[in-house]
Amino acid sequence: MSAPPAERTVPPGLMAGGGGTNGRGTGVAGAAALMAASLALVLTAGALARELGARYGAAEVLFLRFVLSLAVVAPAAFALAGRRALSVTRPGGHALRALSGVGAALIFYAATQHLPFADLVALSYAAPMFVVLLSGAAIGERAGAASVLCVALGMAGVFLIAPPTRLEPWSLAALAMAFLNAVCILATRRTAQADGPAATGLVFVLAGCLLTAPAALLTGFRMPDAADLPAFLLLGFAAGAAILLNAAAFRRAPAAVLAPIDYLGIAASAAIGFLWWGEYPSPAVLLGGVLIAAAGLGTVWFGARKG
């Protein structure tokens, strides 16, 4: 997602120039299927994290997610790149990506216990707006009038979901998560171009293990109950497989083609919240999600045209 980068290697907002195929757009149908599968796994991981977070600390759930996803990501990364899967040319970029991405994921996992699932997921999709706002200072890309208009549209959606008149701490935390997601996306633009998706994904998961281990221990880590082991295993598999499918999709088609599929996550999260927890998204949340999705898609479209 534009959801937690813990489940992404190449976020949809990453491109201005057409994504992993450099504009070739080959294998679009297959890429769309891979993107849809990646989205389904991302949402599955988010729902499982919320369910497990009711019984375990957010840091513990995220730590075990990283550790268990290594069983999926590491073999694939070494199969694709061999020893180069651990070779990085921009360690500073990888460090920034890891810190911001893990921070965003930790907020997401903690916020699942305090916000309706649809609200949280919709707010997480505000990350591309922050990318536009930060890209000038971070990577020297100036936002045009169309991009500024998209940001305004997206902010209107954010204000519908979390009105300034009744902002709650966890709504603010969700916006902080979106900001950290944007930092992670910008860092990924640098690292993925230099080191490739295998190293980008594997190094991120390894860094996630190292960064979340102390937090898990300090917040009272305990071994999961036997009844919860299948859910933890599925969480690790879903998050790890989502990373691989996401990267594979962007190698086959440009981001301008794939982003509309990813933004279906806003509607899908509302359905999951209703079916799993009986949550009814308010009209304001539904309309806000539509505006955020329109803003994100507009950012992708104008970025692809510019590229």
Side-chain angles (χ1 to χ4, degrees), residues 85-125:
L86 287 173
S87 176
V88 298
T89 58
R90 293 179 174 175
H94 283 281
L96 178 60
R97 180 174 188 259
L99 288 170
S100 57
V102 171
L106 187 58
I107 293 173
F108 182 89
Y109 279 33
T112 59
Q113 303 305 305
H114 303 276
L115 292 175
F117 196 60
D119 296 37
L120 178 58
V121 171
L123 289 173
S124 76
Y125 277 90

Side-chain angles (χ1 to χ4, degrees), residues 164-254:
T165 54
R166 59 176 183 85
L167 272 179
E168 300 174 356
W170 284 104
S171 296
L172 291 172
L175 291 176
M177 171 195 66
F179 177 83
L180 289 174
N181 277 348
V183 174
C184 186
I185 288 170
L186 290 169
T188 303
R189 291 186 67 165
R190 296 291 186 89
T191 57
Q193 290 170 359
D195 298 325
T200 301
L202 179 57
V203 170
F204 181 81
V205 174
L206 289 171
C209 293
L210 294 175
L211 289 172
T212 55
L217 290 173
L218 290 173
T219 53
F221 178 86
R222 64 183 177 88
M223 289 301 296
D225 297 333
D228 289 324
L229 284 177
F232 273 109
L233 291 172
L234 182 56
L235 171 61
F237 170 81
I243 289 174
L244 302 178
L245 292 176
N246 179 252
F250 279 97
R251 286 198 297 271
R252 288 166 171 79

